[in-house]
Amino acid sequence: MKIMKFGGTSVASAERINHVAKLITATSEPKVIVLSAMAGTTNQLVDIAAELVQRDSIVAKDLIEELKEKYLMETQKLFPKAECFHAVWKKLDQTFFFLENMCKVSNFTLFDEKRVLAQGELMSVAMMLQHLEDLGHKACWLPALDYMRTDKKAEPDETYIELHLRRLMQRSPQDVQLFVTEGYICKNAYGDIDNLQRGGSDYTASLIGAALKAEEIQIWTDIDGMHNNDPRVVEETVPVRRLHFEEAAELAYFGAKILHPTCIQPAKKNNIPVRLLNTMEPDKPGTLISNDTDKDQIKAVAAKDGLTMIKVKSSHMLVSWVFMRRLLQVFEHYQISIDMITSSEVGVSVCVEIWDELPELLADLRKLGEVSVEEHMTIICVVGDMEWENVGFETQVLEALRDIPVRMISYGASDYNLSVLVRQSDKRNALISLSNHLFASSKQ
């Protein structure tokens, strides 16, 4: 059993949906297909919901009509035969009827918003199922709202998911080898429609793969895997062919947008490889993420912008262990995650994302000692086999940055990551220099 997840750009049009249908039917092995909403749909639904929250039903109706026209055009292209078109449009029209009725709701709530946001994935699945049928392929619908559930902590209820997913599949006809389901959407512990948020459809695919003990989870996007640097900044980047789960998670957390760090955890826990592939170049090998990796290599670089460094110099009234405890309690109080931390006998420097409560936080920190702040900073994360016995990797990184001021360095907390903090204005030069020093051979 393989899990194949296709993102919004992969199903962005009638042409793309037809292309995906050919990809998933190219082999006869059992598969579960996880679909995102058509590109742009979720953003449009978010805008519709925002207007309904503001009780502006007129603007909301205009946005719904705009979305309806888009789907009507793509549906007509995908289903040129009148009979097939009417079969699928009857289902899609029910969705738009639902959205239009939401404009009449006098008190539009968060629960209503989640119901609205779920419609994009439901429409993608309806279109794909009808298209597969028209092509002569048997496929079975696995309604995500019947098995994908979160618990009272808003975390996936993996026991529930496995039990109900397997029951659904057992009830399907025995000769069906192709199953189609929605990504992103779920129900919460109270039975209300919700979504997985972090990682969205990728998370769905990973959870399904874990529940079914799949052979492989494939994430299909418009990029041929994780690249060894940011292609928006550095020219001639190349895909990294093999990554450890920890390496992929570090890259995802520090800026590689192709994957969310949370979504691969179920696959990692169950030792199921995840392969990142390009829908438009399906013959490319992409990136394979697993618990195995190429040793003794630096793999890739990623960067995370919009950060603030806060340095707190301890007052002499506090001993070191009291100071550290109280410092971390302040961040806990504001529920702020620390991306990077270094310490000395008299002070601590932390790096955090910019947020609205900065003045209040700084006021509390000043009760502990002298505080200084530096904004507009960037963390650059160098990922690879960074075990401390591998002599020389740290030297290579620092040599590449010899002409760039480095504000903080973090090394040793992970066997896969060395991070440095630089000014955001130095990010471009830092990424280019690291690429030239670390990956020169891959460009040849």
Side-chain angles (χ1 to χ4, degrees), residues 71-335:
Y71 271 83
L72 179 60
M73 179 179 67
E74 297 300 337
T75 305
Q76 288 172 334
K77 291 179 183 177
L78 188 61
F79 303 98
K81 295 181 181 178
E83 181 181 354
C84 301
F85 166 77
H86 289 301
V88 71
W89 187 251
K90 182 178 179 180
K91 299 174 183 177
L92 300 188
D93 203 30
Q94 289 174 351
T95 295
F96 290 107
F97 181 72
F98 162 77
L99 293 174
E100 289 159 1
N101 278 337
M102 294 305 293
C103 295
K104 303 173 185 177
V105 175
S106 58
N107 184 27
F108 190 81
T109 67
L110 178 63
F111 300 108
D112 295 319
E113 180 182 5
K114 296 294 180 63
R115 293 169 65 197
V116 167
L117 296 185
Q119 301 309 307
E121 280 71 19
L122 291 168
M123 289 194 289
S124 287
V125 167
M127 294 173 74
M128 182 60 75
L129 284 169
Q130 184 64 52
H131 186 53
L132 289 170
E133 181 180 329
D134 295 347
L135 295 175
H137 299 283
K138 290 184 178 181
C140 184
W141 178 32
L142 299 175
L145 299 178
D146 287 353
Y147 68 87
M148 190 61 64
R149 191 177 79 165
T150 55
D151 58 23
K152 292 182 180 179
K153 296 180 181 180
E155 296 294 337
D157 187 337
E158 295 186 37
T159 301
Y160 181 99
I161 293 167
E162 180 174 352
L163 176 63
H164 288 76
L165 178 58
R166 288 186 178 276
R167 282 180 181 175
L168 278 175
M169 296 183 72
Q170 288 167 0
R171 293 172 189 164
S172 63
Q174 291 186 352
D175 61 339
V176 173
Q177 299 291 300
L178 189 57
F179 302 87
V180 184
T181 191
E182 302 88 359
Y184 176 63
I185 66 176
C186 64
K187 282 190 177 179
N188 60 28
Y190 308 98
D192 302 310
I193 292 178
D194 210 326
N195 55 65
L196 294 174
Q197 298 180 17
R198 298 164 298 180
S201 298
D202 292 349
Y203 207 3
T204 301
S206 188
L207 289 164
I208 292 173
L212 299 179
K213 305 298 184 287
E215 171 192 346
E216 183 176 276
I217 299 166
Q218 298 178 352
I219 307 295
W220 292 79
T221 66
D222 56 355
I223 302 173
D224 54 342
M226 278 193 173
H227 280 229
N228 63 356
N229 211 321
D230 189 342
R232 296 167 299 182
V233 178
V234 179
E235 295 180 358
E236 298 181 3
T237 63
V238 296
V240 183
R241 296 309 178 198
R242 282 164 53 89
L243 286 170
H244 190 278
F245 278 115
E246 294 291 344
E247 293 171 333
E250 295 279 8
L251 289 171
Y253 184 80
F254 287 105
K257 301 300 183 184
I258 190 174
L259 200 64
H260 192 283
T262 302
C263 73
I264 57 175
Q265 294 308 311
K268 176 190 172 186
K269 184 170 66 175
N270 290 273
N271 197 26
I272 300 170
V274 175
R275 194 180 297 272
L276 308 180
L277 294 163
N278 188 343
T279 309
M280 302 314 296
E281 295 183 288
D283 295 331
K284 294 286 183 69
T287 299
L288 180 65
I289 304 169
S290 69
N291 281 316
D292 297 320
T293 186
D294 296 324
K295 305 294 287 184
D296 303 321
Q297 291 184 19
I298 294 179
K299 304 290 186 59
V301 177
K304 184 177 182 180
D305 296 328
L307 300 170
T308 299
M309 194 209 79
I310 303 172
K311 182 178 180 180
V312 186
K313 187 176 180 180
S314 172
S315 83
H316 293 296
M317 294 181 293
L318 296 174
V319 296
S320 60
W321 62 269
V322 174
F323 168 69
M324 182 64 78
R325 174 171 57 82
R326 292 188 181 179
L327 178 82
L328 295 178
Q329 284 176 339
V330 173
F331 287 95
E332 180 184 11
H333 173 74
Y334 288 95
Q335 297 183 339

